[in-house]
Amino acid sequence: MAEEKQKVIIIGGGAAGLTAAYYLQKEVKEKNLPLEIQLIEASHRLGGKMQTVVRDGFTIERGPDSFLARKTSIIRLAKEVGMDDQLVPNSTGKSYVLVNEKLHSMPGGSIMGIPTEVGPFMTTGLFSIPGKLRAAADLILPRSESGKDQALGHFFRRRLGDEVVENLIEPLLSGIYAGDIDQMSLMATFPQFYEVEQKHRSLILGMKKSTPVQPIQQGDKGKSKKGGFLTFKTGLQSFAEAIEAKLDANSVLKGHRVENIARVNNKYEVYLNNGECLTADSIIAATPHKVTQAMFSDYRFFEPLKYVPSTSVATVALAFPEAAINEDIDGTGFVVSRNSDYTITACTWTHKKWEHSTPKGKVLLRCYVGRAGDETVVDLSDDQIVKIVLDDLNKIMQINMSPDFAVISRWNNSMPQYTVGHKQRLTSILEAMKQELPGVFLAGASYGGVGVPDCIDQGEAAVKNVLEYLKNKGS
């Protein structure tokens, strides 16, 4: 008699859910496991924030545009689905910070805004002399209290002073999370800085000691040096589509929302918005935190997820002929100091950073609007957003034409904020899940890292947890 199959339901088809479905299916096929997999996605497409517009020879990312080359889980998955030959590195070039209406080159030897070389910091116009002297206090200040979470802003202000934080660290770090660094958790976002401080006491000396010396690259003349980021030539959406193409077609259910989940006799009943009820032995919830809380509303320990804030942001991609740019600046883009009177928070000169993205003779500028405390711009009309962005850009670049076209992508409440205490809250929820919802696992940007590779890591970890749980349950 055939062994009765156990069922695993994965809820959410973003990077984490797609990864979990792919690797779980791979395990089932390679080891001939008696498992049935179902991936449920509320929208009509998979891939989450991996969305690409291909138009008139341009490749335009609506969400993330790349990932760190050192995060290998995504490269491994790309190989698995036959996409590794589409990976391309970014071209490097000068990057800038916009402070007091002026673009300042990013100081050499700064890592996420932390100085590791004295020379460039002493000569930059980014900070006043008192600001530079205050930053030097890091060399003599004692360590933070051991083991205690704190706001990123508080940590960096204490070590380097307000000016370095406002003009350099904040624009760089908040660009990753679109968050308020005075609310964001040090331990959940950049624990490595805490560890450097604990080990070396001084952040400046510690970063200098713990950063490997970069070998000088003898590149071909006229060719750009390659940077530490990678993307897919055909766009991140094509990567999501390549993973989906490897999944069994009958294992994916799109356009269905999970309304509620209840544990009944050691299994789970999963209620869909069309009234259907599915039964599962194990569940991976690869959903945003508020969706997770709503699905498990019968379980009080998920309540803290209700109060985790999310920021709304928008990306604004503008395509122009080369002749439109009067002031062509050498570099790949800039971030904006929060003290500046600008709505945009950053701008990438995409045609320079990603040469494959733009046809010859054209220019592609990708700007970002919206951040914690300044999100209303995201709700404006396309025309209003384009006007605001062009007004900002014109203060720096003198653009003398309207764009050929604009692609505006709104991400409402899509950037989860890891506020102080995030790790402790998550640990409490996971402990309660072990007791009350064994076999249910979380994965995704709301929990253990917001980048695509972080979500892939979480998807892989969830697969291991599911297999171990089902093995123990069956024994």
Side-chain angles (χ1 to χ4, degrees):
M1 209 171 83
E3 195 177 344
E4 192 191 337
K5 285 190 174 181
Q6 291 179 303
K7 183 158 186 175
V8 180
I9 290 181
I10 300 161
I11 307 163
L18 263 177
T19 300
Y22 174 79
Y23 281 118
L24 205 46
Q25 179 184 280
K26 188 181 178 201
E27 287 283 323
V28 168
K29 287 185 172 165
E30 286 180 359
K31 297 177 181 167
N32 203 18
L33 301 174
L35 270 190
E36 186 191 333
I37 301 157
Q38 178 98 70
L39 172 63
I40 303 173
E41 164 58 40
S43 76
H44 290 277
R45 59 173 299 282
L46 301 183
K49 293 191 185 85
M50 293 188 281
Q51 294 183 25
T52 311
V53 173
V54 178
R55 175 175 170 181
D56 301 346
F58 291 87
T59 303
I60 298 168
E61 298 293 0
R62 285 188 175 277
D65 75 345
S66 59
F67 57 90
L68 281 165
R70 61 181 163 77
K71 299 209 169 183
T72 53
S73 58
I74 185 167
I75 298 168
R76 198 169 62 245
L77 183 53
K79 271 200 179 92
E80 289 271 346
V81 299
M83 285 288 288
D84 49 322
D85 61 341
Q86 293 298 319
L87 285 168
V88 282
N90 65 300
S91 303
T92 59
K94 274 189 186 172
S95 46
Y96 300 86
V97 188
L98 181 63
V99 179
N100 300 328
E101 304 291 321
K102 192 179 168 206
L103 289 176
H104 298 265
S105 291
M106 202 75 73
S110 77
I111 295 163
M112 297 304 268
I114 299 157
T116 61
E117 293 171 24
V118 173
F121 260 74
M122 294 319 289
T123 54
T124 180
L126 266 173
F127 321 113
S128 65
I129 289 169
K132 291 170 183 176
L133 291 172
R134 172 59 187 87
D138 167 77
L139 299 167
I140 54 169
L141 284 168
R143 291 173 177 83
S144 303
E145 191 181 328
S146 176
K148 197 175 169 209
D149 198 7
Q150 56 185 299
L152 267 178
H154 175 266
F155 174 77
F156 285 118
R157 286 178 206 284
R158 181 179 158 269
R159 296 239 55 103
L160 299 161
D162 285 345
E163 221 176 300
V164 170
V165 169
E166 297 296 327
N167 290 355
L168 188 54
I169 291 176
E170 194 277 342
L172 290 171
L173 299 195
S174 68
I176 297 169
Y177 289 89
D180 176 352
I181 65 165
D182 292 312
Q183 304 290 322
M184 284 159 66
S185 155
L186 173 68
M187 297 308 204
T189 54
F190 295 101
Q192 64 271 36
F193 292 137
Y194 164 80
E195 284 152 19
V196 162
E197 186 214 35
Q198 290 296 307
K199 186 177 176 185
H200 299 281
R201 187 190 53 75
S202 157
L203 210 49
I204 295 171
L205 295 177
M207 291 303 286
K208 191 175 175 68
K209 281 180 187 161
S210 55
T211 306
V213 177
Q214 295 296 322
I216 294 167
Q217 296 185 356
Q218 299 293 332
D220 298 339
K221 273 194 177 163
K223 281 200 179 171
S224 319
K225 216 168 63 175
K226 297 305 174 193
F229 291 88
L230 290 170
T231 197
F232 294 93
K233 230 186 250 185
T234 45
L236 277 162
Q237 184 173 318
S238 67
F239 175 51
E241 287 164 355
I243 304 169
E244 182 180 0
K246 294 279 184 187
L247 302 179
D248 293 337
N250 59 359
S251 69
V252 179
L253 188 60
K254 297 179 200 173
H256 287 68
R257 193 174 65 252
V258 173
E259 302 262 295
N260 192 44
I261 298 170
R263 187 181 180 204
V264 180
N265 300 332
N266 224 9
K267 285 187 184 269
Y268 293 97
E269 291 185 349
V270 178
Y271 294 90
L272 305 182
N273 60 331
N274 63 353
E276 203 180 337
C277 177
L278 306 176
T279 304
D281 294 277
S282 181
I283 290 172
I284 296 172
T287 39
H289 52 278
K290 287 194 169 129
V291 174
T292 302
Q293 189 276 324
M295 292 189 307
F296 292 100
S297 55
D298 300 346
Y299 300 89
R300 292 283 307 274
F301 56 84
F302 283 109
E303 282 281 299
L305 295 182
K306 247 188 184 172
Y307 309 106
V308 172
S310 294
T311 310
S312 297
V313 296
T315 60
V316 185
L318 304 172
F320 296 94
E322 260 175 9
I325 312 295
N326 278 345
E327 189 148 341
D328 186 34
I329 301 156
D330 174 32
T332 55
F334 62 90
V335 293
V336 182
S337 158
R338 185 166 277 202
N339 298 327
S340 301
D341 187 21
Y342 282 74
T343 302
I344 59 173
T345 57
C347 175
T348 305
W349 299 321
T350 305
H351 57 292
K352 295 183 178 185
K353 189 175 178 183
W354 302 107
E355 287 166 19
H356 70 275
S357 70
T358 310
K360 286 266 181 285
K362 297 288 184 179
V363 163
L364 183 61
L365 309 177
R366 189 170 183 257
C367 299
Y368 303 77
V369 297
R371 57 181 154 201
D374 182 18
E375 300 170 58
T376 49
V377 63
V378 176
D379 297 325
L380 298 176
S381 71
D382 284 10
D383 288 348
Q384 286 172 303
I385 291 179
V386 168
K387 184 180 184 316
I388 287 167
V389 168
L390 278 175
D391 286 349
D392 276 357
L393 290 176
N394 268 321
K395 296 176 197 171
I396 309 146
M397 297 176 65
Q398 295 174 23
I399 299 167
N400 61 12
M401 294 182 199
S402 297
D404 291 345
F405 64 88
V407 174
I408 294 170
S409 311
R410 293 173 182 78
W411 297 100
N412 287 304
N413 300 317
S414 71
M415 303 293 285
Q417 299 300 297
Y418 295 179
T419 51
V420 174
H422 174 83
K423 277 194 153 173
Q424 294 95 308
R425 285 191 294 274
L426 197 53
T427 300
S428 304
I429 290 168
L430 296 175
E431 286 299 318
M433 285 171 72
K434 261 187 204 162
Q435 300 304 313
E436 295 191 45
L437 297 170
V440 177
F441 304 99
L442 301 179
S446 286
Y447 314 108
V450 297
V452 175
D454 302 315
C455 292
I456 288 171
D457 291 341
Q458 293 174 73
E460 284 193 61
V463 167
K464 285 194 181 116
N465 289 333
V466 163
L467 293 173
E468 193 177 325
Y469 167 74
L470 293 176
K471 187 177 158 193
N472 293 338
K473 189 184 178 190
S475 58

